[in-house]
Amino acid sequence: NTDGLLIFSTYYGETDILTNYQRGFPMVVLHRIPPKGTDIPAVLFDNQPGVRQLIDHLIEVHGRRRIVFLHGPLGNDDSAAREHAYRESLLTHKIPFDANLIERGDYHELGGRDAIRRLLAAGVDFDAVFCGDDEAATGVLDAVRQAGRRVPEDVAVVGFDDVTIARHLNPPLTTVRAPIQEAGRQAVRALLS
């Protein structure tokens, strides 16, 4: 009883997508790359310019060199594109990549908090955190403060999405604006057509 699918979740796997594609079922994927060999419409953000600008800003303006990168959920295409931009910025500034600065925040508050606690428990030194989304950033802020570190003096924290709460945090969260509502509208238009 469904006329079409907007697929946002990574939990709806590639096998399921391919099965429905072979049946000719109308689908549009949102924030992920469609399986190879298909012509399924997709609506994606160009993550790289915004992430590059943010990491460049942390390095050039604030002198940060030990920047943590928090991943989203496994298999998330946006997260992979954001990490690519992070690595490009480090390379451009001749900052060696350190795998110890990569953690998984899973795009939620608890994931961000737990990631920072793991880094602190392991004794990893860092002076900035790039969060793959603003919700994870709220957990990061909490964990950093609980560890007795000041934001932004000791640790700069930046996010992605520019959700409403970002401007109400103390200090307000520096974040990249992602047109989430417009992406949803375009996905619906593509599915209806």
Side-chain angles (χ1 to χ4, degrees):
N1 295 328
T2 302
D3 295 323
L5 287 176
L6 287 174
I7 302 169
F8 172 73
S9 171
T10 55
Y11 299 109
Y12 195 78
E14 197 164 293
T15 302
D16 296 320
I17 293 172
L18 288 171
T19 299
N20 282 316
Y21 176 76
Q22 291 163 352
R23 292 178 182 154
F25 194 79
M27 295 178 287
V28 173
V29 294
L30 187 59
H31 307 302
R32 64 188 283 183
I33 298 168
K36 289 182 181 175
T38 68
D39 60 355
I40 298 170
V43 178
L44 302 150
F45 293 133
D46 187 0
N47 290 283
Q48 296 189 356
V51 173
R52 282 287 307 265
Q53 287 176 341
L54 204 50
I55 302 300
D56 290 350
H57 178 81
L58 287 171
I59 295 167
E60 295 168 8
V61 176
H62 299 287
R64 307 303 169 128
R65 298 189 62 79
R66 302 278 302 157
I67 304 168
V68 171
F69 177 86
L70 287 191
H71 271 287
L74 282 171
N76 182 283
D77 292 326
D78 282 334
S79 184
R82 292 170 191 174
E83 182 182 355
H84 183 75
Y86 163 83
R87 287 178 181 240
E88 281 182 342
S89 184
L90 294 179
L91 185 63
T92 298
H93 293 90
K94 297 178 176 46
I95 297 174
F97 172 76
D98 183 349
N100 293 318
L101 294 173
I102 305 295
E103 261 294 346
R104 186 157 309 285
D106 287 330
Y107 290 169
H108 61 78
E109 180 183 1
L110 184 59
R113 183 181 302 119
D114 289 347
I116 295 305
R117 287 179 177 164
R118 285 190 299 272
L119 289 168
L120 292 167
V124 175
D125 181 42
F126 59 92
D127 58 12
V129 181
F130 170 81
C131 304
D133 77 318
D134 294 345
E135 188 175 342
T138 62
V140 168
L141 289 168
D142 184 45
V144 166
R145 289 187 180 125
Q146 283 183 10
R149 298 189 183 181
R150 299 169 298 155
V151 177
E153 294 85 357
D154 302 325
V155 179
V157 178
V158 296
F160 198 101
D161 289 335
D162 194 24
V163 296
T164 304
I165 194 155
R167 61 184 140 279
H168 300 292
L169 296 172
N170 185 16
L173 182 67
T174 299
T175 184
V176 174
R177 184 172 194 65
I180 295 168
Q181 289 179 335
E182 182 56 29
R185 278 192 284 275
Q186 286 187 20
V188 169
R189 285 187 202 114
L191 184 60
L192 291 174
S193 70

